[in-house]
PDB file of all heavy atoms in Angstrom:
ATOM      1  N   ILE S  19      -0.720 -67.558  -1.385  1.00 70.00           N
ATOM      2  CA  ILE S  19      -2.084 -67.401  -1.913  1.00 70.00           C
ATOM      3  C   ILE S  19      -2.503 -65.936  -1.899  1.00 70.00           C
ATOM      4  O   ILE S  19      -3.101 -65.430  -2.855  1.00 70.00           O
ATOM      5  CB  ILE S  19      -3.065 -68.265  -1.085  1.00 70.00           C
ATOM      6  CG1 ILE S  19      -2.766 -69.748  -1.307  1.00 70.00           C
ATOM      7  CG2 ILE S  19      -4.509 -67.941  -1.452  1.00 70.00           C
ATOM      8  CD1 ILE S  19      -3.593 -70.677  -0.433  1.00 70.00           C
ATOM      9  N   SER S  20      -2.189 -65.204  -0.817  1.00 68.00           N
ATOM     10  CA  SER S  20      -2.539 -63.784  -0.756  1.00 68.00           C
ATOM     11  C   SER S  20      -1.808 -62.991  -1.823  1.00 68.00           C
ATOM     12  O   SER S  20      -2.360 -62.064  -2.417  1.00 68.00           O
ATOM     13  CB  SER S  20      -2.215 -63.230   0.634  1.00 68.00           C
ATOM     14  OG  SER S  20      -0.819 -63.295   0.878  1.00 68.00           O
ATOM     15  N   LYS S  21      -0.527 -63.357  -2.069  1.00 69.00           N
ATOM     16  CA  LYS S  21       0.222 -62.679  -3.143  1.00 69.00           C
ATOM     17  C   LYS S  21      -0.461 -62.894  -4.493  1.00 69.00           C
ATOM     18  O   LYS S  21      -0.603 -61.971  -5.305  1.00 69.00           O
ATOM     19  CB  LYS S  21       1.650 -63.214  -3.201  1.00 69.00           C
ATOM     20  CG  LYS S  21       2.575 -62.642  -2.145  1.00 69.00           C
ATOM     21  CD  LYS S  21       3.068 -61.282  -2.579  1.00 69.00           C
ATOM     22  CE  LYS S  21       4.149 -60.763  -1.657  1.00 69.00           C
ATOM     23  NZ  LYS S  21       4.639 -59.441  -2.055  1.00 69.00           N
ATOM     24  N   LYS S  22      -0.888 -64.138  -4.747  1.00 66.00           N
ATOM     25  CA  LYS S  22      -1.558 -64.431  -6.017  1.00 66.00           C
ATOM     26  C   LYS S  22      -2.860 -63.644  -6.143  1.00 66.00           C
ATOM     27  O   LYS S  22      -3.210 -63.157  -7.225  1.00 66.00           O
ATOM     28  CB  LYS S  22      -1.820 -65.926  -6.127  1.00 66.00           C
ATOM     29  CG  LYS S  22      -0.566 -66.765  -6.349  1.00 66.00           C
ATOM     30  CD  LYS S  22      -0.910 -68.234  -6.524  1.00 66.00           C
ATOM     31  CE  LYS S  22       0.343 -69.066  -6.812  1.00 66.00           C
ATOM     32  NZ  LYS S  22       0.027 -70.506  -6.983  1.00 66.00           N
ATOM     33  N   LEU S  23      -3.596 -63.550  -5.032  1.00 72.00           N
ATOM     34  CA  LEU S  23      -4.848 -62.791  -5.082  1.00 72.00           C
ATOM     35  C   LEU S  23      -4.601 -61.318  -5.368  1.00 72.00           C
ATOM     36  O   LEU S  23      -5.345 -60.686  -6.125  1.00 72.00           O
ATOM     37  CB  LEU S  23      -5.603 -62.954  -3.758  1.00 72.00           C
ATOM     38  CG  LEU S  23      -6.192 -64.342  -3.483  1.00 72.00           C
ATOM     39  CD1 LEU S  23      -6.795 -64.391  -2.085  1.00 72.00           C
ATOM     40  CD2 LEU S  23      -7.235 -64.698  -4.526  1.00 72.00           C
ATOM     41  N   GLN S  24      -3.533 -60.750  -4.776  1.00 73.00           N
ATOM     42  CA  GLN S  24      -3.199 -59.352  -5.050  1.00 73.00           C
ATOM     43  C   GLN S  24      -2.834 -59.144  -6.511  1.00 73.00           C
ATOM     44  O   GLN S  24      -3.264 -58.183  -7.153  1.00 73.00           O
ATOM     45  CB  GLN S  24      -2.050 -58.908  -4.160  1.00 73.00           C
ATOM     46  CG  GLN S  24      -2.419 -58.788  -2.687  1.00 73.00           C
ATOM     47  CD  GLN S  24      -1.226 -58.416  -1.821  1.00 73.00           C
ATOM     48  OE1 GLN S  24      -0.128 -58.218  -2.337  1.00 73.00           O
ATOM     49  NE2 GLN S  24      -1.441 -58.340  -0.516  1.00 73.00           N
ATOM     50  N   LEU S  25      -2.006 -60.060  -7.056  1.00 71.00           N
ATOM     51  CA  LEU S  25      -1.635 -59.952  -8.472  1.00 71.00           C
ATOM     52  C   LEU S  25      -2.857 -60.091  -9.367  1.00 71.00           C
ATOM     53  O   LEU S  25      -2.977 -59.413 -10.392  1.00 71.00           O
ATOM     54  CB  LEU S  25      -0.592 -61.028  -8.817  1.00 71.00           C
ATOM     55  CG  LEU S  25       0.799 -60.837  -8.205  1.00 71.00           C
ATOM     56  CD1 LEU S  25       1.680 -62.044  -8.513  1.00 71.00           C
ATOM     57  CD2 LEU S  25       1.453 -59.571  -8.767  1.00 71.00           C
ATOM     58  N   LYS S  26      -3.786 -60.975  -8.972  1.00 70.00           N
ATOM     59  CA  LYS S  26      -4.996 -61.156  -9.772  1.00 70.00           C
ATOM     60  C   LYS S  26      -5.832 -59.884  -9.789  1.00 70.00           C
ATOM     61  O   LYS S  26      -6.352 -59.483 -10.833  1.00 70.00           O
ATOM     62  CB  LYS S  26      -5.801 -62.321  -9.212  1.00 70.00           C
ATOM     63  CG  LYS S  26      -7.061 -62.638 -10.032  1.00 70.00           C
ATOM     64  CD  LYS S  26      -7.803 -63.817  -9.441  1.00 70.00           C
ATOM     65  CE  LYS S  26      -9.065 -64.119 -10.256  1.00 70.00           C
ATOM     66  NZ  LYS S  26      -9.816 -65.261  -9.672  1.00 70.00           N
ATOM     67  N   ARG S  27      -5.964 -59.220  -8.613  1.00 71.00           N
ATOM     68  CA  ARG S  27      -6.730 -57.977  -8.560  1.00 71.00           C
ATOM     69  C   ARG S  27      -6.091 -56.902  -9.423  1.00 71.00           C
ATOM     70  O   ARG S  27      -6.784 -56.154 -10.126  1.00 71.00           O
ATOM     71  CB  ARG S  27      -6.839 -57.490  -7.116  1.00 71.00           C
ATOM     72  CG  ARG S  27      -7.676 -58.395  -6.221  1.00 71.00           C
ATOM     73  CD  ARG S  27      -7.988 -57.708  -4.905  1.00 71.00           C
ATOM     74  NE  ARG S  27      -8.433 -58.659  -3.896  1.00 71.00           N
ATOM     75  CZ  ARG S  27      -7.660 -59.174  -2.957  1.00 71.00           C
ATOM     76  NH1 ARG S  27      -6.379 -58.804  -2.882  1.00 71.00           N
ATOM     77  NH2 ARG S  27      -8.139 -60.020  -2.062  1.00 71.00           N
ATOM     78  N   LYS S  28      -4.751 -56.776  -9.349  1.00 71.00           N
ATOM     79  CA  LYS S  28      -4.060 -55.780 -10.175  1.00 71.00           C
ATOM     80  C   LYS S  28      -4.242 -56.064 -11.655  1.00 71.00           C
ATOM     81  O   LYS S  28      -4.454 -55.157 -12.457  1.00 71.00           O
ATOM     82  CB  LYS S  28      -2.580 -55.741  -9.815  1.00 71.00           C
ATOM     83  CG  LYS S  28      -2.285 -55.178  -8.432  1.00 71.00           C
ATOM     84  CD  LYS S  28      -0.798 -55.182  -8.152  1.00 71.00           C
ATOM     85  CE  LYS S  28      -0.507 -54.616  -6.763  1.00 71.00           C
ATOM     86  NZ  LYS S  28       0.947 -54.645  -6.452  1.00 71.00           N
ATOM     87  N   ALA S  29      -4.138 -57.381 -12.013  1.00 67.00           N
ATOM     88  CA  ALA S  29      -4.323 -57.737 -13.426  1.00 67.00           C
ATOM     89  C   ALA S  29      -5.729 -57.410 -13.889  1.00 67.00           C
ATOM     90  O   ALA S  29      -5.943 -56.918 -15.001  1.00 67.00           O
ATOM     91  CB  ALA S  29      -4.018 -59.224 -13.619  1.00 67.00           C
ATOM     92  N   GLU S  30      -6.740 -57.665 -13.034  1.00 69.00           N
ATOM     93  CA  GLU S  30      -8.120 -57.339 -13.400  1.00 69.00           C
ATOM     94  C   GLU S  30      -8.304 -55.833 -13.542  1.00 69.00           C
ATOM     95  O   GLU S  30      -9.015 -55.363 -14.432  1.00 69.00           O
ATOM     96  CB  GLU S  30      -9.076 -57.886 -12.346  1.00 69.00           C
ATOM     97  CG  GLU S  30      -9.186 -59.411 -12.356  1.00 69.00           C
ATOM     98  CD  GLU S  30     -10.052 -59.924 -11.223  1.00 69.00           C
ATOM     99  OE1 GLU S  30     -10.405 -59.100 -10.348  1.00 69.00           O
ATOM    100  OE2 GLU S  30     -10.368 -61.133 -11.213  1.00 69.00           O
ATOM    101  N   GLY S  31      -7.656 -55.053 -12.657  1.00 67.00           N
ATOM    102  CA  GLY S  31      -7.746 -53.603 -12.777  1.00 67.00           C
ATOM    103  C   GLY S  31      -7.138 -53.095 -14.066  1.00 67.00           C
ATOM    104  O   GLY S  31      -7.703 -52.244 -14.757  1.00 67.00           O
ATOM    105  N   LEU S  32      -5.937 -53.617 -14.419  1.00 67.00           N
ATOM    106  CA  LEU S  32      -5.295 -53.224 -15.676  1.00 67.00           C
ATOM    107  C   LEU S  32      -6.137 -53.641 -16.876  1.00 67.00           C
ATOM    108  O   LEU S  32      -6.251 -52.912 -17.866  1.00 67.00           O
ATOM    109  CB  LEU S  32      -3.906 -53.846 -15.772  1.00 67.00           C
ATOM    110  CG  LEU S  32      -2.835 -53.274 -14.843  1.00 67.00           C
ATOM    111  CD1 LEU S  32      -1.552 -54.086 -14.947  1.00 67.00           C
ATOM    112  CD2 LEU S  32      -2.552 -51.822 -15.196  1.00 67.00           C
ATOM    113  N   LYS S  33      -6.749 -54.842 -16.768  1.00 65.00           N
ATOM    114  CA  LYS S  33      -7.589 -55.313 -17.870  1.00 65.00           C
ATOM    115  C   LYS S  33      -8.774 -54.382 -18.089  1.00 65.00           C
ATOM    116  O   LYS S  33      -9.103 -54.032 -19.231  1.00 65.00           O
ATOM    117  CB  LYS S  33      -8.073 -56.719 -17.559  1.00 65.00           C
ATOM    118  CG  LYS S  33      -8.982 -57.306 -18.646  1.00 65.00           C
ATOM    119  CD  LYS S  33      -9.460 -58.693 -18.256  1.00 65.00           C
ATOM    120  CE  LYS S  33     -10.419 -59.246 -19.307  1.00 65.00           C
ATOM    121  NZ  LYS S  33     -10.931 -60.596 -18.922  1.00 65.00           N
TER     122      LYS S  33
END
Side-chain angles (χ1 to χ4, degrees):
I19 293 175
S20 64
K21 281 279 188 180
K22 289 183 177 180
L23 290 175
Q24 290 177 2
L25 290 174
K26 183 179 179 181
R27 293 192 197 98
K28 291 180 180 178
E30 289 175 351
L32 289 174
K33 179 182 177 182

